[in-house]
Amino acid sequence: MGVHRFEHHAPTTLEEVVKLLTELGTEAKLLAGGTDLLVFIRHGRIAPKHIIELSRVGELTRICELESGLIIGACVKLREIERNSVIRRLYPHISEAASQVGSVQIRNLATIGGNLCTASPAGDMIPTLMVSGALLHIVGASGERMVRIEEFFKGPGETALCATDVLVSIQLPPPKPRTGWAFFKLGVRGAMDISIVSVAAKLTLSESTSDIVSEVKVALGSVAPVVMLSHSVEKLLTGKRITDSLIEEAAHSVMNEVKPISDHRASAQYRRLMAAVLTKRALKTAFHRAVGEQQQLTQLEVNQGSVFNGG
Ligand SMILES: Cc1cc2nc3c(=O)[nH]c(=O)nc-3n(C[C@H](O)[C@H](O)[C@H](O)COP(=O)(O)OP(=O)(O)OC[C@H]3O[C@@H](n4cnc5c(N)ncnc54)[C@H](O)[C@@H]3O)c2cc1C
């Protein structure tokens, strides 16, 4: 395979990025950490003539805590997301997911925006941001807009971004009181591999009574062309008093909702079963966290296989 040559651009403002994208059109590609893009180039899947590096645009690399929530710049590295104290306190599932992407070397390069814009059904950050109600701030030649994360993904590798658009930041509303979160991923070799199935859950309990669900969201990765939210879990649990059998029923219901494929990593049937197992675990953990109890199960236990023993 020959060496692919391209011209490198390193703008320092968003305006410059959009101007370059407008001038260079489809010949140009944005580069964040490069952990997906450079692999695609090496494999000959794309051959851009221009690479526009985003890392020098200050606006893209900040994390800001506001009264209205948290703003995470699109080029914030996953290693920073894993370690940031505000994210760990307010959205522990997001740091937990970040900590399970690739290796430390990958996480030191990979960005949260790159994970979204690659739009892989197995992108580990996507389910966690979906259950958090993330809004995506996008700037392009025709102005700026906010897009709800569930409207961003159009298919594997396809997003709502137009040719001159840049994802600027991810905005998260502040978590409501008595909310618990969870993220679990199943991979062939644990954290170094992409997910066979991943599940994120958010569960908010009503303020007056201890175990009535006021809000619940479950998002599943690697079981459909795009990461999907489960409507059946929401329907079954909202407004109900939480019990083990209700969690069991809700987890079982996702098996009819997911649309997995069989590939070299797992069969569709295995993915369907694991989607239910991980949903049950994620809902239980989110519930225990919502009532302030210790997390039920660690990712380590999932990797070690105790999740298969029915408990
Ligand atoms: C060894 C290895 C292991 C991996 N393991 C995992 C894993 O366990 N889980 C997982 O989810 N992923 C994994 N990945 C994939 C990858 O690391 C992640 O998807 C990463 O978050 C991509 O971010 P990046 O900054 O490197 O993106 P880049 O490669 O720089 O960009 C990815 C795509 O997004 C576009 N883009 C980037 N930023 C923007 C922006 N702000 N606005 C518009 N478009 C943009 C680029 O043009 C490109 O098309 C792995 C990759 C490798 C090489």
Side-chain angles (χ1 to χ4, degrees):
M1 200 182 301
V3 177
H4 174 71
R5 294 188 184 282
F6 48 76
E7 199 176 323
H8 175 253
H9 306 260
T12 53
T13 65
L14 263 182
E15 293 70 35
E16 283 176 74
V17 176
V18 173
K19 192 161 167 271
L20 279 167
L21 283 172
T22 310
E23 284 166 11
L24 302 170
T26 52
E27 309 265 87
K29 270 283 180 192
L30 296 175
L31 173 89
T35 61
D36 281 324
L37 190 78
L38 298 179
V39 174
F40 296 161
I41 292 176
R42 190 165 307 144
H43 290 174
R45 280 172 61 181
I46 51 169
K49 293 206 173 118
H50 298 267
I51 292 284
I52 305 169
E53 192 183 329
L54 294 173
S55 64
R56 291 179 209 183
V57 181
E59 212 174 328
L60 301 179
T61 56
R62 291 184 203 124
I63 299 179
C64 303
E65 191 184 3
L66 306 172
E67 255 178 52
S68 57
L70 195 71
I71 300 182
I72 305 177
C75 286
V76 173
K77 310 276 184 206
L78 295 184
R79 184 71 171 150
E80 189 177 345
I81 289 178
E82 173 187 354
R83 291 151 69 114
N84 182 278
S85 59
V86 178
I87 300 181
R88 286 167 72 117
R89 174 169 47 86
L90 297 177
Y91 313 96
H93 60 310
I94 296 180
S95 352
E96 283 162 14
S99 75
Q100 290 168 52
V101 170
S103 58
V104 173
Q105 289 90 330
I106 292 289
R107 299 198 289 279
N108 275 330
L109 291 169
T111 64
I112 189 162
N115 198 262
L116 296 184
C117 295
T118 290
S120 161
D124 282 325
M125 303 315 297
I126 303 171
T128 65
L129 296 172
M130 236 181 223
V131 298
S132 312
L135 285 176
L136 308 183
H137 181 200
I138 294 164
V139 168
S142 53
E144 60 181 317
R145 64 192 196 279
M146 302 297 290
V147 173
R148 280 149 42 103
I149 189 166
E150 53 269 44
E151 283 152 21
F152 184 69
F153 302 100
K154 303 297 177 192
E158 283 172 40
T159 67
L161 291 176
C162 305
T164 65
D165 281 345
V166 187
L167 173 64
V168 177
S169 63
I170 295 113
Q171 310 201 353
L172 302 170
K176 294 189 178 153
R178 309 197 75 224
T179 295
W181 314 92
F183 173 78
F184 291 117
K185 136 180 188 178
L186 191 68
V188 177
R189 287 170 287 145
M192 262 309 277
D193 204 12
I194 58 167
S195 302
I196 289 174
V197 177
S198 63
V199 175
K202 175 194 88 164
L203 198 133
T204 305
L205 296 170
S206 85
E207 291 199 49
S208 47
T209 52
S210 64
D211 47 7
I212 302 275
V213 177
S214 64
E215 254 179 71
V216 61
K217 274 189 204 293
V218 164
L220 300 110
S222 300
V223 289
V226 295
V227 174
M228 52 170 283
L229 277 172
S230 165
H231 298 295
S232 64
V233 169
E234 222 174 309
K235 216 167 144 191
L236 277 162
L237 293 187
T238 310
K240 304 269 176 54
R241 188 175 297 278
I242 203 121
T243 60
D244 277 350
S245 63
L246 201 55
I247 286 183
E248 193 83 48
E249 191 186 344
H252 198 261
S253 75
V254 302
M255 289 207 287
N256 299 322
E257 263 185 317
V258 297
K259 296 181 176 59
I261 53 162
S262 296
D263 61 17
H264 62 285
R265 289 181 302 124
S267 70
Q269 184 55 10
Y270 180 70
R271 285 195 159 97
R272 192 171 279 116
L273 282 170
M274 287 304 114
V277 171
L278 292 194
T279 298
K280 178 173 151 187
R281 285 295 169 183
L283 283 169
K284 280 194 170 184
T285 301
F287 171 68
H288 286 281
R289 284 176 162 185
V291 292
E293 288 171 16
Q294 188 92 46
Q295 185 185 349
Q296 277 276 289
L297 184 84
T298 65
Q299 180 64 40
L300 189 65
E301 288 171 283
V302 172
N303 293 344
Q304 286 170 344
S306 61
V307 74
F308 308 108
N309 301 332

